[in-house]
Amino acid sequence: MSSAASQSPRVSPLQKLALRGDLLDFVGEPAWGELETSTLRFQPDTWLLIENGRVQGTQVQAPDVAEGWELQDFSGRLILPGFIDTHVHCPQLDVIASYGAELLDWLNTYTFPAECRYADPAVAERGAQRFLDALLAHGTTAAVVFPTVHKVSAEALFEAGAQRGMRLITGKVLMDRNAPAALLDDVASAERDCLDLISRWHGRERLAYAVTPRFAPTSTPEQLAMAGALCRADASLFMQTHVAENREEVRWVAELFPTARSYLDVYERVGLLHPRALLAHGIWLDETDRQALARSGAQISFCPSSNLFLGSGLFDWPALAQAGVKVSLASDVGGGTSLSMQRNLLDAYKVQALAGRRLTAWSGLYAATRGAAEALGLAQEMGHFGVGTLADVCVWDWAQGPVAGARDEVVRGLHERVFAWMCLSDERNLLRSYVSGKIRYSRDEGMKG
Ligand SMILES: [Zn+2]
């Protein structure tokens, strides 16, 4: 480096960006079933001000171009915080929409063969890039992700997440039994790989490590104990796994762990339940399990399209909410059939409707934005338009096509409008995704580097 360069390091110019549109976010958690809520912050035809990637405020008047503001006018469009998908599998884009199986068949027939390919670093890298670009093209700007058992698959995701500046939580999958040999690790090598990945990626930029036992059946008690020890040694680590998704799976876990009180208890007794633990599904839980989740602060990722597609069961959201358990929303692709959080919200509504309950657009959208950020302990960073948060923002058409357009014209009131949007929209409504104020997807121009 020349002495001139070291004396005057290049300072990037202050980026001042203002987006105009109908801003919608939450300042708190809406009550179940409540259509009128003070937790909603709707600011129609308002400018969202972003400075150096962070939200600086909102105002009705356009900011002054002479002060360096770049104005992007999306008036008549809906602007939301980017969605947060709290449970999704990168390598399973290749098996999305696979016919005719329940969980255990589906893993053996479709998923495990697809995951074997990720041993190849080139496959893992291409897969990670394609996967994160797909998330951004669906309006999802942050995610908690399963790669495969291969260390390179986690590396590839961290690398691709860093390139895009995304909040990404992931970690090498732990599996040391009951899977094809090509997908098995062992306790010692898995621990080494985790420690190495943690030291190099955890806490770097917006990346965080999640200790990732796939699910109880594919880890020995010794491996689960190792995973619990990693969590106890560093409370800043996340943990992700699956629990009580499918009845056959629950029966199998009871056979494999005969002394455990329940499936959830397998995790609790080794220290895997804590405030940074995310457990996908949680359909077949009992009240003791719900209390254990609430006590530990561990949270559930509700995966409605996956639960319907694989025929796993109907998630009892209110029972968990009443017990004080945090619930966020997840696509669980490839068990789920779409990365679109609106499609998953619509499925969430239908799952609750079958049980005679009604999910408001407010509870659904909250769970997919601020609620997820709160559950992850990251609400100071994302999930809403509070001043100082990183500007993870998506711009949506209120309606696409004649049916949605006609519906949007006759809506009465804001909840009806947003609910119809939630039911009728998908990734085709997305115009722009911004991550920390940078355009990362634009419908007109494809992906932005
Ligand atoms: Zn899953």
Side-chain angles (χ1 to χ4, degrees):
M1 188 187 276
S2 74
S3 60
S6 58
Q7 282 161 18
S8 52
R10 188 193 299 200
V11 179
S12 57
L14 191 68
Q15 186 215 23
K16 295 167 101 173
L17 175 66
L19 311 179
R20 179 189 190 181
D22 299 331
L23 310 180
L24 191 154
D25 72 332
F26 295 89
V27 296
E29 181 172 4
W32 193 266
E34 200 172 76
L35 296 180
E36 297 292 329
T37 172
S38 58
T39 64
L40 176 73
R41 179 165 53 187
F42 183 61
Q43 303 172 85
D45 199 15
T46 298
W47 291 90
L48 178 69
L49 308 185
I50 299 163
E51 265 193 47
N52 273 356
R54 290 186 185 273
V55 173
Q56 199 224 37
T58 61
Q59 63 187 46
V60 174
Q61 297 300 319
D64 193 346
V65 178
E67 288 174 11
W69 288 96
E70 180 190 344
L71 307 185
Q72 297 183 2
D73 191 339
F74 298 108
S75 42
R77 275 151 169 158
L78 175 64
I79 299 184
L80 294 174
F83 286 129
I84 301 165
D85 187 340
T86 61
H87 181 79
V88 58
H89 298 255
C90 167
Q92 293 182 15
L93 274 191
D94 294 339
V95 296
I96 191 170
S98 291
Y99 171 76
E102 286 201 3
L103 173 66
L104 301 177
D105 277 351
W106 178 84
L107 284 172
N108 288 318
T109 311
Y110 301 113
T111 305
F112 287 158
E115 293 192 4
C116 285
R117 294 196 284 275
Y118 276 66
D120 178 347
V123 171
E125 194 201 321
R126 270 200 310 277
Q129 303 280 352
R130 185 175 53 125
F131 171 76
L132 293 186
D133 284 344
L135 287 183
L136 293 165
H138 285 74
T140 295
T141 51
V144 185
V145 183
F146 267 63
T148 64
V149 72
H150 312 101
K151 188 180 180 189
V152 289
S153 72
E155 301 255 14
L157 266 174
F158 279 127
E159 194 72 59
Q163 284 165 10
R164 290 160 182 76
M166 292 173 75
R167 166 53 70 176
L168 189 77
I169 299 168
T170 189
K172 177 206 122 55
V173 176
L174 304 172
M175 298 168 81
D176 66 348
R177 64 168 169 174
N178 293 325
L183 289 180
L184 294 181
D185 55 14
D186 58 65
V187 178
S189 74
E191 183 176 30
R192 245 191 342 267
D193 287 350
C194 288
L195 290 171
D196 182 53
L197 289 166
I198 291 164
S199 71
R200 287 189 295 117
W201 295 102
H202 181 56
R204 186 176 141 189
E205 297 168 42
R206 300 181 72 187
L207 309 173
Y209 197 83
V211 176
T212 307
R214 176 178 217 112
F215 69 152
T218 46
S219 284
T220 56
E222 294 72 27
Q223 188 171 59
L224 292 172
M226 180 273 285
L230 287 176
C231 291
R232 274 196 302 278
D234 182 350
S236 72
L237 293 173
F238 288 87
M239 193 288 292
Q240 58 176 343
T241 190
H242 299 84
V243 72
E245 174 176 0
N246 165 292
R247 275 173 291 196
E248 196 54 43
E249 172 210 20
V250 174
R251 268 195 289 277
W252 191 25
V253 171
E255 258 172 55
L256 291 169
F257 298 89
T259 62
R261 194 203 69 81
S262 68
Y263 190 159
L264 187 79
D265 185 48
V266 172
Y267 299 137
E268 187 179 23
R269 52 174 61 193
V270 293
L272 286 170
L273 300 189
H274 51 76
R276 293 195 146 197
L278 293 101
L279 299 103
H281 306 297
I283 297 169
W284 306 100
L285 300 174
D286 62 17
E287 190 52 30
T288 308
D289 291 328
R290 287 190 282 270
Q291 293 303 326
L293 287 168
R295 208 170 41 243
S296 64
Q299 54 197 284
I300 294 285
S301 300
F302 173 27
C303 309
S305 88
S306 170
N307 296 162
L308 292 171
F309 186 69
L310 296 177
S312 301
L314 304 176
F315 178 71
D316 191 344
W317 191 336
L320 279 149
Q322 275 155 29
V325 181
K326 294 193 178 89
V327 175
S328 55
L329 201 84
S331 69
D332 192 30
V333 161
T337 48
S338 177
L339 290 173
S340 161
M341 293 305 265
Q342 293 102 300
R343 291 202 179 190
N344 280 282
L345 284 164
L346 174 56
D347 283 338
Y349 179 83
K350 292 174 181 173
V351 167
Q352 298 312 311
L354 277 169
R357 301 180 284 259
R358 292 291 180 263
L359 178 70
T360 65
W362 309 144
S363 288
L365 282 176
Y366 175 79
T369 56
R370 186 174 190 140
E374 297 276 2
L376 293 167
L378 296 171
Q380 78 290 353
E381 174 184 311
M382 63 180 186
H384 56 100
F385 297 141
V387 172
T389 56
L390 289 170
D392 295 349
V393 180
C394 292
V395 182
W396 302 91
D397 287 324
W398 275 107
Q400 267 282 323
V403 173
R407 181 70 184 90
D408 191 54
E409 277 175 24
V410 298
V411 289
R412 296 157 303 170
L414 185 61
H415 185 267
E416 188 172 319
R417 188 177 199 199
V418 175
F419 182 75
W421 178 84
M422 184 179 104
C423 293
L424 298 175
S425 72
D426 59 26
E427 69 274 18
R428 287 167 292 191
N429 291 57
L430 182 65
L431 270 93
R432 286 275 174 90
S433 295
Y434 298 81
V435 176
S436 296
K438 285 204 177 67
I439 299 174
R440 295 294 180 186
Y441 170 78
S442 176
R443 186 165 70 196
D444 303 328
E445 299 157 64
M447 309 307 303
K448 294 269 187 167

